[in-house]
Amino acid sequence: MRAGIVGMGRFLPEKILTNHDLEKMMDTSDEWIRTMTGIEERRIASDDVNTSDMAFAAAQKAIEDAGITPEQIDLILVATVTPDSPFPSVSCRIQERLGATKAAAMDISAACAGFMYGIVTAKQFIESQVYKYVLVVGVEKLSKITDWNDRNTAVLFGDGAGAAIIGPVSEDRGILAFELGADGTGAKHLYQDEFIIMNGREVFKFAVRQMGESCINVLNKAGLSKDDVDFLIPHQANIRIMEASRQRLELPIEKMSKTVDKYGNTSAASIPISIVEEVEKGKIKDDDLIVMVGFGGGLTWGAIAIRWGK
Ligand SMILES: CC(C)(COP(=O)(O)OP(=O)(O)OC[C@H]1O[C@@H](n2cnc3c(N)ncnc32)[C@H](O)[C@@H]1OP(=O)(O)O)[C@@H](O)C(=O)NCCC(=O)NCCS
C-alpha cells in the first residue's frame, strides 16, 4: 500500500505588491528584480489575516477536493516558520476551526523545505497503516518578518498557503521515493533574527547544487531516469535556481512549474501552490511522474518522486 496526494487546495491573499510598488519603497528596480529573480509581483496578507487564516482556507479546499470530512483526518502537519505565535501551533488552531476533532496536530519547522518534510512524515504514518488521512499544509506570512528597508531580501518573499490530503492511493500511484536532508553548518546563511537575514550568494550556490542532486537521487531511488519525468515542481525561490534543476533533468521549459513571477518566494507554501495551479491548467495528469524539490534555511532540503493520481 502506498501513500499519495488525494486532494489539494491553495489560498493567496488578494493584495498584490508589484516590483514597481517596491521601486517607490526602496532603492531597487523592476528590471533588477526580474532579471535576478524572475519575480514580477507577490501577494501580501493584510494585518487582520494571520498565518492560521490562510492555512485554514487552503485546508478547507483540500478537504473538499479529497471528498472526505474533517473528522476523517488523523493528523494535521503544518509546515511554517511564521506561525501566529510560538504556541499553540498553527495546526492546533486550524484543527479547532476545521472541526477535525479526531486529529493529532503539530507544526514542522524546516523553512522552505517544510512541505517536503510534511509529506514524507505523513507517508510514514499512512504506509505503516497507523493513520489513513493526514492533512499537510505549507503556509507563510513572510511579510511580517521581512525588513522592508533591506532590498537584498524584501523583494524576494510573499505570503500564501497550500494544502494536501495524504492518503492511500491505488497500486502504481503515489510517492515512489523521497530524500530529506539538512546541513546545520549552513544555518548562518539564512535565518531570522527579528527579520530575515540572508547571504544570497551562499544560498544561491547551495540551492543550485542541492536541488539538482536531490532530483537525481530520488529518481535513482525510484529506479527511474530523467527520461521518465513528466513534470518538475521546484521550490519557487528564484527562476535562475529553478532553471538549473530543470537543465539538470534535461526537461523542456514547458515541463517545469513557474509561479515565482506572480507570487515570489512563499517558502513552505510555494510547492503546494504550484501543484494546484499546474493541475488546474491540465499540465499534471493522472499517472504522470512528478518530481518536487525544495530547499531552505537550516539549511534543509527535500525531494519527492510521485506518480500522480488517487
Ligand atoms: C538575492 C540574489 C538574487 C542576489 O543576486 P547576487 O548575484 O547574489 O547579487 P548580490 O547580492 O551579490 O548583489 C549584487 C548587487 O546588487 C545589489 N542589489 C541587491 N538587491 C538589490 C535589489 N533588490 N535591487 C537592486 N540592487 C540590488 C547589491 O547591493 C549588489 O550591489 P553592489 O555590487 O553595488 O554591492 C541571489 O543571491 C539569490 O537569489 N540567492 C538565493 C536567495 C534565495 O533563494 N533565498 C531563499 C531561499 S529559500
Side-chain angles (χ1 to χ4, degrees), residues 28 32 36 112 151-152 155 190 198 200-201 203-204 235 237-238 240-241 265 295:
T28 189
W32 190 95
M36 298 297 277
C112 305
R151 67 175 184 174
N152 289 296
V155 302
L190 182 55
M198 184 183 75
R201 281 267 158 99
V203 175
F204 191 93
H235 169 46
N238 177 317
R240 293 183 295 141
I241 298 172
N265 179 348
F295 70 94

mmCIF file with all atom_site columns, all heavy atoms in Angstrom, residues 28 32 36 112 151-152 155 190 198 200-201 203-204 235 237-238 240-241 265 295, ligand 1:
data_model
loop_
_atom_site.group_PDB
_atom_site.id
_atom_site.type_symbol
_atom_site.label_atom_id
_atom_site.label_alt_id
_atom_site.label_comp_id
_atom_site.label_asym_id
_atom_site.label_entity_id
_atom_site.label_seq_id
_atom_site.pdbx_PDB_ins_code
_atom_site.Cartn_x
_atom_site.Cartn_y
_atom_site.Cartn_z
_atom_site.occupancy
_atom_site.B_iso_or_equiv
_atom_site.pdbx_formal_charge
_atom_site.auth_seq_id
_atom_site.auth_comp_id
_atom_site.auth_asym_id
_atom_site.auth_atom_id
_atom_site.pdbx_PDB_model_num
ATOM   1   N N   . THR A 1 28  ? 15.513 50.120 -5.623  1.00 0.00 ? 28  THR A N   1
ATOM   2   C CA  . THR A 1 28  ? 15.551 48.914 -6.448  1.00 0.00 ? 28  THR A CA  1
ATOM   3   C C   . THR A 1 28  ? 14.883 49.223 -7.779  1.00 0.00 ? 28  THR A C   1
ATOM   4   O O   . THR A 1 28  ? 14.402 50.342 -7.990  1.00 0.00 ? 28  THR A O   1
ATOM   5   C CB  . THR A 1 28  ? 14.865 47.726 -5.734  1.00 0.00 ? 28  THR A CB  1
ATOM   6   O OG1 . THR A 1 28  ? 15.112 46.530 -6.471  1.00 0.00 ? 28  THR A OG1 1
ATOM   7   C CG2 . THR A 1 28  ? 13.362 47.929 -5.602  1.00 0.00 ? 28  THR A CG2 1
ATOM   8   N N   . TRP A 1 32  ? 15.977 45.022 -12.307 1.00 0.00 ? 32  TRP A N   1
ATOM   9   C CA  . TRP A 1 32  ? 16.916 44.224 -11.477 1.00 0.00 ? 32  TRP A CA  1
ATOM   10  C C   . TRP A 1 32  ? 16.181 43.001 -10.913 1.00 0.00 ? 32  TRP A C   1
ATOM   11  O O   . TRP A 1 32  ? 16.685 41.886 -10.992 1.00 0.00 ? 32  TRP A O   1
ATOM   12  C CB  . TRP A 1 32  ? 17.488 45.084 -10.340 1.00 0.00 ? 32  TRP A CB  1
ATOM   13  C CG  . TRP A 1 32  ? 18.627 44.403 -9.605  1.00 0.00 ? 32  TRP A CG  1
ATOM   14  C CD1 . TRP A 1 32  ? 19.965 44.577 -9.858  1.00 0.00 ? 32  TRP A CD1 1
ATOM   15  C CD2 . TRP A 1 32  ? 18.530 43.448 -8.546  1.00 0.00 ? 32  TRP A CD2 1
ATOM   16  N NE1 . TRP A 1 32  ? 20.699 43.770 -9.024  1.00 0.00 ? 32  TRP A NE1 1
ATOM   17  C CE2 . TRP A 1 32  ? 19.852 43.059 -8.197  1.00 0.00 ? 32  TRP A CE2 1
ATOM   18  C CE3 . TRP A 1 32  ? 17.486 42.846 -7.852  1.00 0.00 ? 32  TRP A CE3 1
ATOM   19  C CZ2 . TRP A 1 32  ? 20.148 42.138 -7.197  1.00 0.00 ? 32  TRP A CZ2 1
ATOM   20  C CZ3 . TRP A 1 32  ? 17.777 41.916 -6.853  1.00 0.00 ? 32  TRP A CZ3 1
ATOM   21  C CH2 . TRP A 1 32  ? 19.085 41.572 -6.535  1.00 0.00 ? 32  TRP A CH2 1
ATOM   22  N N   . MET A 1 36  ? 17.247 39.273 -12.005 1.00 0.00 ? 36  MET A N   1
ATOM   23  C CA  . MET A 1 36  ? 17.996 38.496 -10.999 1.00 0.00 ? 36  MET A CA  1
ATOM   24  C C   . MET A 1 36  ? 17.165 37.388 -10.357 1.00 0.00 ? 36  MET A C   1
ATOM   25  O O   . MET A 1 36  ? 17.709 36.426 -9.829  1.00 0.00 ? 36  MET A O   1
ATOM   26  C CB  . MET A 1 36  ? 18.517 39.432 -9.900  1.00 0.00 ? 36  MET A CB  1
ATOM   27  C CG  . MET A 1 36  ? 19.483 40.477 -10.408 1.00 0.00 ? 36  MET A CG  1
ATOM   28  S SD  . MET A 1 36  ? 20.983 39.743 -11.098 1.00 0.00 ? 36  MET A SD  1
ATOM   29  C CE  . MET A 1 36  ? 21.930 39.471 -9.607  1.00 0.00 ? 36  MET A CE  1
ATOM   30  N N   . CYS A 1 112 ? 11.780 26.484 3.855   1.00 0.00 ? 112 CYS A N   1
ATOM   31  C CA  . CYS A 1 112 ? 11.189 26.303 2.514   1.00 0.00 ? 112 CYS A CA  1
ATOM   32  C C   . CYS A 1 112 ? 11.090 24.836 2.103   1.00 0.00 ? 112 CYS A C   1
ATOM   33  O O   . CYS A 1 112 ? 10.407 24.509 1.130   1.00 0.00 ? 112 CYS A O   1
ATOM   34  C CB  . CYS A 1 112 ? 11.974 27.085 1.473   1.00 0.00 ? 112 CYS A CB  1
ATOM   35  S SG  . CYS A 1 112 ? 12.124 28.827 1.874   1.00 0.00 ? 112 CYS A SG  1
ATOM   36  N N   . ARG A 1 151 ? 16.785 45.851 0.825   1.00 0.00 ? 151 ARG A N   1
ATOM   37  C CA  . ARG A 1 151 ? 16.435 45.489 -0.555  1.00 0.00 ? 151 ARG A CA  1
ATOM   38  C C   . ARG A 1 151 ? 16.951 44.095 -0.951  1.00 0.00 ? 151 ARG A C   1
ATOM   39  O O   . ARG A 1 151 ? 16.481 43.499 -1.908  1.00 0.00 ? 151 ARG A O   1
ATOM   40  C CB  . ARG A 1 151 ? 16.959 46.538 -1.536  1.00 0.00 ? 151 ARG A CB  1
ATOM   41  C CG  . ARG A 1 151 ? 18.481 46.590 -1.630  1.00 0.00 ? 151 ARG A CG  1
ATOM   42  C CD  . ARG A 1 151 ? 18.920 47.575 -2.703  1.00 0.00 ? 151 ARG A CD  1
ATOM   43  N NE  . ARG A 1 151 ? 20.366 47.561 -2.854  1.00 0.00 ? 151 ARG A NE  1
ATOM   44  C CZ  . ARG A 1 151 ? 21.013 48.224 -3.792  1.00 0.00 ? 151 ARG A CZ  1
ATOM   45  N NH1 . ARG A 1 151 ? 20.346 48.972 -4.646  1.00 0.00 ? 151 ARG A NH1 1
ATOM   46  N NH2 . ARG A 1 151 ? 22.320 48.168 -3.877  1.00 0.00 ? 151 ARG A NH2 1
ATOM   47  N N   . ASN A 1 152 ? 17.957 43.599 -0.201  1.00 0.00 ? 152 ASN A N   1
ATOM   48  C CA  . ASN A 1 152 ? 18.501 42.256 -0.506  1.00 0.00 ? 152 ASN A CA  1
ATOM   49  C C   . ASN A 1 152 ? 17.479 41.150 -0.276  1.00 0.00 ? 152 ASN A C   1
ATOM   50  O O   . ASN A 1 152 ? 17.545 40.106 -0.917  1.00 0.00 ? 152 ASN A O   1
ATOM   51  C CB  . ASN A 1 152 ? 19.716 41.956 0.380   1.00 0.00 ? 152 ASN A CB  1
ATOM   52  C CG  . ASN A 1 152 ? 20.903 42.797 -0.013  1.00 0.00 ? 152 ASN A CG  1
ATOM   53  O OD1 . ASN A 1 152 ? 21.413 42.667 -1.122  1.00 0.00 ? 152 ASN A OD1 1
ATOM   54  N ND2 . ASN A 1 152 ? 21.315 43.684 0.881   1.00 0.00 ? 152 ASN A ND2 1
ATOM   55  N N   . VAL A 1 155 ? 12.564 42.108 -1.629  1.00 0.00 ? 155 VAL A N   1
ATOM   56  C CA  . VAL A 1 155 ? 11.975 41.925 -2.966  1.00 0.00 ? 155 VAL A CA  1
ATOM   57  C C   . VAL A 1 155 ? 11.629 40.464 -3.251  1.00 0.00 ? 155 VAL A C   1
ATOM   58  O O   . VAL A 1 155 ? 10.964 40.160 -4.242  1.00 0.00 ? 155 VAL A O   1
ATOM   59  C CB  . VAL A 1 155 ? 12.931 42.450 -4.073  1.00 0.00 ? 155 VAL A CB  1
ATOM   60  C CG1 . VAL A 1 155 ? 13.249 43.925 -3.839  1.00 0.00 ? 155 VAL A CG1 1
ATOM   61  C CG2 . VAL A 1 155 ? 14.216 41.629 -4.156  1.00 0.00 ? 155 VAL A CG2 1
ATOM   62  N N   . LEU A 1 190 ? 21.130 31.819 6.282   1.00 0.00 ? 190 LEU A N   1
ATOM   63  C CA  . LEU A 1 190 ? 19.718 32.184 6.135   1.00 0.00 ? 190 LEU A CA  1
ATOM   64  C C   . LEU A 1 190 ? 19.001 31.907 7.452   1.00 0.00 ? 190 LEU A C   1
ATOM   65  O O   . LEU A 1 190 ? 18.847 30.751 7.842   1.00 0.00 ? 190 LEU A O   1
ATOM   66  C CB  . LEU A 1 190 ? 19.105 31.338 4.995   1.00 0.00 ? 190 LEU A CB  1
ATOM   67  C CG  . LEU A 1 190 ? 17.641 31.581 4.619   1.00 0.00 ? 190 LEU A CG  1
ATOM   68  C CD1 . LEU A 1 190 ? 17.374 33.043 4.281   1.00 0.00 ? 190 LEU A CD1 1
ATOM   69  C CD2 . LEU A 1 190 ? 17.239 30.698 3.449   1.00 0.00 ? 190 LEU A CD2 1
ATOM   70  N N   . MET A 1 198 ? 19.964 37.131 5.214   1.00 0.00 ? 198 MET A N   1
ATOM   71  C CA  . MET A 1 198 ? 20.362 36.157 4.184   1.00 0.00 ? 198 MET A CA  1
ATOM   72  C C   . MET A 1 198 ? 21.678 36.540 3.516   1.00 0.00 ? 198 MET A C   1
ATOM   73  O O   . MET A 1 198 ? 21.901 37.702 3.200   1.00 0.00 ? 198 MET A O   1
ATOM   74  C CB  . MET A 1 198 ? 19.252 36.097 3.125   1.00 0.00 ? 198 MET A CB  1
ATOM   75  C CG  . MET A 1 198 ? 19.478 35.065 2.052   1.00 0.00 ? 198 MET A CG  1
ATOM   76  S SD  . MET A 1 198 ? 18.183 35.134 0.806   1.00 0.00 ? 198 MET A SD  1
ATOM   77  C CE  . MET A 1 198 ? 18.674 36.600 -0.081  1.00 0.00 ? 198 MET A CE  1
ATOM   78  N N   . GLY A 1 200 ? 22.778 35.916 0.227   1.00 0.00 ? 200 GLY A N   1
ATOM   79  C CA  . GLY A 1 200 ? 22.182 35.456 -1.032  1.00 0.00 ? 200 GLY A CA  1
ATOM   80  C C   . GLY A 1 200 ? 23.105 34.598 -1.873  1.00 0.00 ? 200 GLY A C   1
ATOM   81  O O   . GLY A 1 200 ? 22.706 33.566 -2.411  1.00 0.00 ? 200 GLY A O   1
ATOM   82  N N   . ARG A 1 201 ? 24.379 35.018 -1.967  1.00 0.00 ? 201 ARG A N   1
ATOM   83  C CA  . ARG A 1 201 ? 25.344 34.290 -2.795  1.00 0.00 ? 201 ARG A CA  1
ATOM   84  C C   . ARG A 1 201 ? 25.501 32.843 -2.341  1.00 0.00 ? 201 ARG A C   1
ATOM   85  O O   . ARG A 1 201 ? 25.495 31.913 -3.154  1.00 0.00 ? 201 ARG A O   1
ATOM   86  C CB  . ARG A 1 201 ? 26.728 34.964 -2.704  1.00 0.00 ? 201 ARG A CB  1
ATOM   87  C CG  . ARG A 1 201 ? 26.860 36.185 -3.544  1.00 0.00 ? 201 ARG A CG  1
ATOM   88  C CD  . ARG A 1 201 ? 27.431 35.821 -4.918  1.00 0.00 ? 201 ARG A CD  1
ATOM   89  N NE  . ARG A 1 201 ? 27.090 36.859 -5.882  1.00 0.00 ? 201 ARG A NE  1
ATOM   90  C CZ  . ARG A 1 201 ? 27.919 37.827 -6.257  1.00 0.00 ? 201 ARG A CZ  1
ATOM   91  N NH1 . ARG A 1 201 ? 29.115 37.879 -5.768  1.00 0.00 ? 201 ARG A NH1 1
ATOM   92  N NH2 . ARG A 1 201 ? 27.520 38.725 -7.138  1.00 0.00 ? 201 ARG A NH2 1
ATOM   93  N N   . VAL A 1 203 ? 23.489 31.051 -0.367  1.00 0.00 ? 203 VAL A N   1
ATOM   94  C CA  . VAL A 1 203 ? 22.242 30.286 -0.511  1.00 0.00 ? 203 VAL A CA  1
ATOM   95  C C   . VAL A 1 203 ? 22.058 29.872 -1.969  1.00 0.00 ? 203 VAL A C   1
ATOM   96  O O   . VAL A 1 203 ? 21.661 28.745 -2.276  1.00 0.00 ? 203 VAL A O   1
ATOM   97  C CB  . VAL A 1 203 ? 21.027 31.108 -0.008  1.00 0.00 ? 203 VAL A CB  1
ATOM   98  C CG1 . VAL A 1 203 ? 19.727 30.368 -0.271  1.00 0.00 ? 203 VAL A CG1 1
ATOM   99  C CG2 . VAL A 1 203 ? 21.163 31.424 1.474   1.00 0.00 ? 203 VAL A CG2 1
ATOM   100 N N   . PHE A 1 204 ? 22.394 30.778 -2.849  1.00 0.00 ? 204 PHE A N   1
ATOM   101 C CA  . PHE A 1 204 ? 22.257 30.506 -4.282  1.00 0.00 ? 204 PHE A CA  1
ATOM   102 C C   . PHE A 1 204 ? 23.116 29.303 -4.697  1.00 0.00 ? 204 PHE A C   1
ATOM   103 O O   . PHE A 1 204 ? 22.643 28.365 -5.351  1.00 0.00 ? 204 PHE A O   1
ATOM   104 C CB  . PHE A 1 204 ? 22.672 31.755 -5.077  1.00 0.00 ? 204 PHE A CB  1
ATOM   105 C CG  . PHE A 1 204 ? 22.336 31.694 -6.539  1.00 0.00 ? 204 PHE A CG  1
ATOM   106 C CD1 . PHE A 1 204 ? 21.150 32.224 -7.006  1.00 0.00 ? 204 PHE A CD1 1
ATOM   107 C CD2 . PHE A 1 204 ? 23.205 31.102 -7.447  1.00 0.00 ? 204 PHE A CD2 1
ATOM   108 C CE1 . PHE A 1 204 ? 20.830 32.173 -8.361  1.00 0.00 ? 204 PHE A CE1 1
ATOM   109 C CE2 . PHE A 1 204 ? 22.895 31.043 -8.794  1.00 0.00 ? 204 PHE A CE2 1
ATOM   110 C CZ  . PHE A 1 204 ? 21.703 31.582 -9.250  1.00 0.00 ? 204 PHE A CZ  1
ATOM   111 N N   . HIS A 1 235 ? 10.900 24.318 -5.742  1.00 0.00 ? 235 HIS A N   1
ATOM   112 C CA  . HIS A 1 235 ? 10.594 25.423 -4.841  1.00 0.00 ? 235 HIS A CA  1
ATOM   113 C C   . HIS A 1 235 ? 10.814 26.728 -5.597  1.00 0.00 ? 235 HIS A C   1
ATOM   114 O O   . HIS A 1 235 ? 11.822 26.903 -6.275  1.00 0.00 ? 235 HIS A O   1
ATOM   115 C CB  . HIS A 1 235 ? 11.506 25.337 -3.607  1.00 0.00 ? 235 HIS A CB  1
ATOM   116 C CG  . HIS A 1 235 ? 11.465 26.567 -2.753  1.00 0.00 ? 235 HIS A CG  1
ATOM   117 N ND1 . HIS A 1 235 ? 10.280 27.171 -2.397  1.00 0.00 ? 235 HIS A ND1 1
ATOM   118 C CD2 . HIS A 1 235 ? 12.458 27.317 -2.207  1.00 0.00 ? 235 HIS A CD2 1
ATOM   119 C CE1 . HIS A 1 235 ? 10.552 28.241 -1.656  1.00 0.00 ? 235 HIS A CE1 1
ATOM   120 N NE2 . HIS A 1 235 ? 11.855 28.345 -1.535  1.00 0.00 ? 235 HIS A NE2 1
ATOM   121 N N   . ALA A 1 237 ? 11.951 29.883 -5.584  1.00 0.00 ? 237 ALA A N   1
ATOM   122 C CA  . ALA A 1 237 ? 12.762 30.891 -4.890  1.00 0.00 ? 237 ALA A CA  1
ATOM   123 C C   . ALA A 1 237 ? 13.302 31.918 -5.869  1.00 0.00 ? 237 ALA A C   1
ATOM   124 O O   . ALA A 1 237 ? 13.297 33.115 -5.593  1.00 0.00 ? 237 ALA A O   1
ATOM   125 C CB  . ALA A 1 237 ? 13.912 30.224 -4.147  1.00 0.00 ? 237 ALA A CB  1
ATOM   126 N N   . ASN A 1 238 ? 13.764 31.429 -6.994  1.00 0.00 ? 238 ASN A N   1
ATOM   127 C CA  . ASN A 1 238 ? 14.459 32.288 -7.950  1.00 0.00 ? 238 ASN A CA  1
ATOM   128 C C   . ASN A 1 238 ? 14.489 31.520 -9.269  1.00 0.00 ? 238 ASN A C   1
ATOM   129 O O   . ASN A 1 238 ? 14.871 30.353 -9.302  1.00 0.00 ? 238 ASN A O   1
ATOM   130 C CB  . ASN A 1 238 ? 15.877 32.527 -7.412  1.00 0.00 ? 238 ASN A CB  1
ATOM   131 C CG  . ASN A 1 238 ? 16.722 33.360 -8.363  1.00 0.00 ? 238 ASN A CG  1
ATOM   132 O OD1 . ASN A 1 238 ? 16.707 33.160 -9.577  1.00 0.00 ? 238 ASN A OD1 1
ATOM   133 N ND2 . ASN A 1 238 ? 17.460 34.304 -7.803  1.00 0.00 ? 238 ASN A ND2 1
ATOM   134 N N   . ARG A 1 240 ? 16.440 31.534 -11.682 1.00 0.00 ? 240 ARG A N   1
ATOM   135 C CA  . ARG A 1 240 ? 17.756 31.029 -12.122 1.00 0.00 ? 240 ARG A CA  1
ATOM   136 C C   . ARG A 1 240 ? 18.108 29.733 -11.390 1.00 0.00 ? 240 ARG A C   1
ATOM   137 O O   . ARG A 1 240 ? 18.710 28.829 -11.967 1.00 0.00 ? 240 ARG A O   1
ATOM   138 C CB  . ARG A 1 240 ? 18.828 32.102 -11.903 1.00 0.00 ? 240 ARG A CB  1
ATOM   139 C CG  . ARG A 1 240 ? 18.615 33.323 -12.819 1.00 0.00 ? 240 ARG A CG  1
ATOM   140 C CD  . ARG A 1 240 ? 19.717 34.350 -12.669 1.00 0.00 ? 240 ARG A CD  1
ATOM   141 N NE  . ARG A 1 240 ? 19.734 34.952 -11.351 1.00 0.00 ? 240 ARG A NE  1
ATOM   142 C CZ  . ARG A 1 240 ? 20.823 35.254 -10.661 1.00 0.00 ? 240 ARG A CZ  1
ATOM   143 N NH1 . ARG A 1 240 ? 22.014 35.005 -11.151 1.00 0.00 ? 240 ARG A NH1 1
ATOM   144 N NH2 . ARG A 1 240 ? 20.740 35.815 -9.471  1.00 0.00 ? 240 ARG A NH2 1
ATOM   145 N N   . ILE A 1 241 ? 17.711 29.622 -10.131 1.00 0.00 ? 241 ILE A N   1
ATOM   146 C CA  . ILE A 1 241 ? 17.941 28.376 -9.383  1.00 0.00 ? 241 ILE A CA  1
ATOM   147 C C   . ILE A 1 241 ? 17.052 27.270 -9.959  1.00 0.00 ? 241 ILE A C   1
ATOM   148 O O   . ILE A 1 241 ? 17.482 26.133 -10.170 1.00 0.00 ? 241 ILE A O   1
ATOM   149 C CB  . ILE A 1 241 ? 17.635 28.572 -7.871  1.00 0.00 ? 241 ILE A CB  1
ATOM   150 C CG1 . ILE A 1 241 ? 18.560 29.624 -7.267  1.00 0.00 ? 241 ILE A CG1 1
ATOM   151 C CG2 . ILE A 1 241 ? 17.743 27.243 -7.122  1.00 0.00 ? 241 ILE A CG2 1
ATOM   152 C CD1 . ILE A 1 241 ? 18.213 30.025 -5.835  1.00 0.00 ? 241 ILE A CD1 1
ATOM   153 N N   . ASN A 1 265 ? 8.719  34.198 -3.532  1.00 0.00 ? 265 ASN A N   1
ATOM   154 C CA  . ASN A 1 265 ? 9.061  33.021 -2.737  1.00 0.00 ? 265 ASN A CA  1
ATOM   155 C C   . ASN A 1 265 ? 8.126  32.967 -1.519  1.00 0.00 ? 265 ASN A C   1
ATOM   156 O O   . ASN A 1 265 ? 8.244  33.791 -0.613  1.00 0.00 ? 265 ASN A O   1
ATOM   157 C CB  . ASN A 1 265 ? 10.530 33.132 -2.308  1.00 0.00 ? 265 ASN A CB  1
ATOM   158 C CG  . ASN A 1 265 ? 10.986 31.954 -1.455  1.00 0.00 ? 265 ASN A CG  1
ATOM   159 O OD1 . ASN A 1 265 ? 10.187 31.147 -0.990  1.00 0.00 ? 265 ASN A OD1 1
ATOM   160 N ND2 . ASN A 1 265 ? 12.285 31.873 -1.230  1.00 0.00 ? 265 ASN A ND2 1
ATOM   161 N N   . PHE A 1 295 ? 14.328 23.565 -1.001  1.00 0.00 ? 295 PHE A N   1
ATOM   162 C CA  . PHE A 1 295 ? 15.488 23.823 -0.152  1.00 0.00 ? 295 PHE A CA  1
ATOM   163 C C   . PHE A 1 295 ? 15.188 25.058 0.666   1.00 0.00 ? 295 PHE A C   1
ATOM   164 O O   . PHE A 1 295 ? 14.331 25.859 0.282   1.00 0.00 ? 295 PHE A O   1
ATOM   165 C CB  . PHE A 1 295 ? 16.744 24.079 -1.008  1.00 0.00 ? 295 PHE A CB  1
ATOM   166 C CG  . PHE A 1 295 ? 16.667 25.397 -1.724  1.00 0.00 ? 295 PHE A CG  1
ATOM   167 C CD1 . PHE A 1 295 ? 17.229 26.548 -1.171  1.00 0.00 ? 295 PHE A CD1 1
ATOM   168 C CD2 . PHE A 1 295 ? 15.984 25.500 -2.908  1.00 0.00 ? 295 PHE A CD2 1
ATOM   169 C CE1 . PHE A 1 295 ? 17.112 27.787 -1.811  1.00 0.00 ? 295 PHE A CE1 1
ATOM   170 C CE2 . PHE A 1 295 ? 15.866 26.729 -3.552  1.00 0.00 ? 295 PHE A CE2 1
ATOM   171 C CZ  . PHE A 1 295 ? 16.426 27.859 -3.003  1.00 0.00 ? 295 PHE A CZ  1
HETATM 172 C C1  . LIG B 2 .   ? 19.289 37.506 -3.959  1.00 0.00 ? 1   LIG B C1  1
HETATM 173 C C2  . LIG B 2 .   ? 20.042 37.276 -5.254  1.00 0.00 ? 1   LIG B C2  1
HETATM 174 C C3  . LIG B 2 .   ? 19.088 37.417 -6.424  1.00 0.00 ? 1   LIG B C3  1
HETATM 175 C C4  . LIG B 2 .   ? 21.119 38.345 -5.379  1.00 0.00 ? 1   LIG B C4  1
HETATM 176 O O1  . LIG B 2 .   ? 21.913 38.079 -6.514  1.00 0.00 ? 1   LIG B O1  1
HETATM 177 P P1  . LIG B 2 .   ? 23.515 38.132 -6.409  1.00 0.00 ? 1   LIG B P1  1
HETATM 178 O O2  . LIG B 2 .   ? 24.069 37.885 -7.751  1.00 0.00 ? 1   LIG B O2  1
HETATM 179 O O3  . LIG B 2 .   ? 23.937 37.197 -5.320  1.00 0.00 ? 1   LIG B O3  1
HETATM 180 O O4  . LIG B 2 .   ? 23.740 39.623 -6.047  1.00 0.00 ? 1   LIG B O4  1
HETATM 181 P P2  . LIG B 2 .   ? 24.482 40.281 -4.789  1.00 0.00 ? 1   LIG B P2  1
HETATM 182 O O5  . LIG B 2 .   ? 23.747 40.015 -3.503  1.00 0.00 ? 1   LIG B O5  1
HETATM 183 O O6  . LIG B 2 .   ? 25.923 39.943 -4.831  1.00 0.00 ? 1   LIG B O6  1
HETATM 184 O O7  . LIG B 2 .   ? 24.271 41.776 -5.170  1.00 0.00 ? 1   LIG B O7  1
HETATM 185 C C5  . LIG B 2 .   ? 24.736 42.344 -6.403  1.00 0.00 ? 1   LIG B C5  1
HETATM 186 C C6  . LIG B 2 .   ? 24.440 43.826 -6.374  1.00 0.00 ? 1   LIG B C6  1
HETATM 187 O O8  . LIG B 2 .   ? 23.034 44.032 -6.458  1.00 0.00 ? 1   LIG B O8  1
HETATM 188 C C7  . LIG B 2 .   ? 22.590 44.846 -5.397  1.00 0.00 ? 1   LIG B C7  1
HETATM 189 N N1  . LIG B 2 .   ? 21.228 44.505 -5.001  1.00 0.00 ? 1   LIG B N1  1
HETATM 190 C C8  . LIG B 2 .   ? 20.832 43.586 -4.107  1.00 0.00 ? 1   LIG B C8  1
HETATM 191 N N2  . LIG B 2 .   ? 19.488 43.583 -4.027  1.00 0.00 ? 1   LIG B N2  1
HETATM 192 C C9  . LIG B 2 .   ? 19.055 44.507 -4.899  1.00 0.00 ? 1   LIG B C9  1
HETATM 193 C C10 . LIG B 2 .   ? 17.771 44.958 -5.267  1.00 0.00 ? 1   LIG B C10 1
HETATM 194 N N3  . LIG B 2 .   ? 16.654 44.469 -4.730  1.00 0.00 ? 1   LIG B N3  1
HETATM 195 N N4  . LIG B 2 .   ? 17.678 45.910 -6.197  1.00 0.00 ? 1   LIG B N4  1
HETATM 196 C C11 . LIG B 2 .   ? 18.775 46.447 -6.769  1.00 0.00 ? 1   LIG B C11 1
HETATM 197 N N5  . LIG B 2 .   ? 20.020 46.063 -6.448  1.00 0.00 ? 1   LIG B N5  1
HETATM 198 C C12 . LIG B 2 .   ? 20.144 45.107 -5.529  1.00 0.00 ? 1   LIG B C12 1
HETATM 199 C C13 . LIG B 2 .   ? 23.605 44.609 -4.299  1.00 0.00 ? 1   LIG B C13 1
HETATM 200 O O9  . LIG B 2 .   ? 23.630 45.657 -3.363  1.00 0.00 ? 1   LIG B O9  1
HETATM 201 C C14 . LIG B 2 .   ? 24.875 44.487 -5.081  1.00 0.00 ? 1   LIG B C14 1
HETATM 202 O O10 . LIG B 2 .   ? 25.327 45.793 -5.402  1.00 0.00 ? 1   LIG B O10 1
HETATM 203 P P3  . LIG B 2 .   ? 26.897 46.153 -5.343  1.00 0.00 ? 1   LIG B P3  1
HETATM 204 O O11 . LIG B 2 .   ? 27.531 45.258 -6.378  1.00 0.00 ? 1   LIG B O11 1
HETATM 205 O O12 . LIG B 2 .   ? 26.887 47.600 -5.684  1.00 0.00 ? 1   LIG B O12 1
HETATM 206 O O13 . LIG B 2 .   ? 27.322 45.844 -3.950  1.00 0.00 ? 1   LIG B O13 1
HETATM 207 C C15 . LIG B 2 .   ? 20.693 35.871 -5.283  1.00 0.00 ? 1   LIG B C15 1
HETATM 208 O O14 . LIG B 2 .   ? 21.809 35.855 -4.432  1.00 0.00 ? 1   LIG B O14 1
HETATM 209 C C16 . LIG B 2 .   ? 19.747 34.786 -4.861  1.00 0.00 ? 1   LIG B C16 1
HETATM 210 O O15 . LIG B 2 .   ? 18.713 34.581 -5.456  1.00 0.00 ? 1   LIG B O15 1
HETATM 211 N N6  . LIG B 2 .   ? 20.102 33.997 -3.811  1.00 0.00 ? 1   LIG B N6  1
HETATM 212 C C17 . LIG B 2 .   ? 19.253 32.967 -3.300  1.00 0.00 ? 1   LIG B C17 1
HETATM 213 C C18 . LIG B 2 .   ? 18.226 33.594 -2.418  1.00 0.00 ? 1   LIG B C18 1
HETATM 214 C C19 . LIG B 2 .   ? 17.120 32.648 -2.038  1.00 0.00 ? 1   LIG B C19 1
HETATM 215 O O16 . LIG B 2 .   ? 16.641 31.898 -2.852  1.00 0.00 ? 1   LIG B O16 1
HETATM 216 N N7  . LIG B 2 .   ? 16.703 32.718 -0.788  1.00 0.00 ? 1   LIG B N7  1
HETATM 217 C C20 . LIG B 2 .   ? 15.616 31.965 -0.279  1.00 0.00 ? 1   LIG B C20 1
HETATM 218 C C21 . LIG B 2 .   ? 15.997 30.550 -0.047  1.00 0.00 ? 1   LIG B C21 1
HETATM 219 S S1  . LIG B 2 .   ? 14.615 29.573 0.356   1.00 0.00 ? 1   LIG B S1  1
#
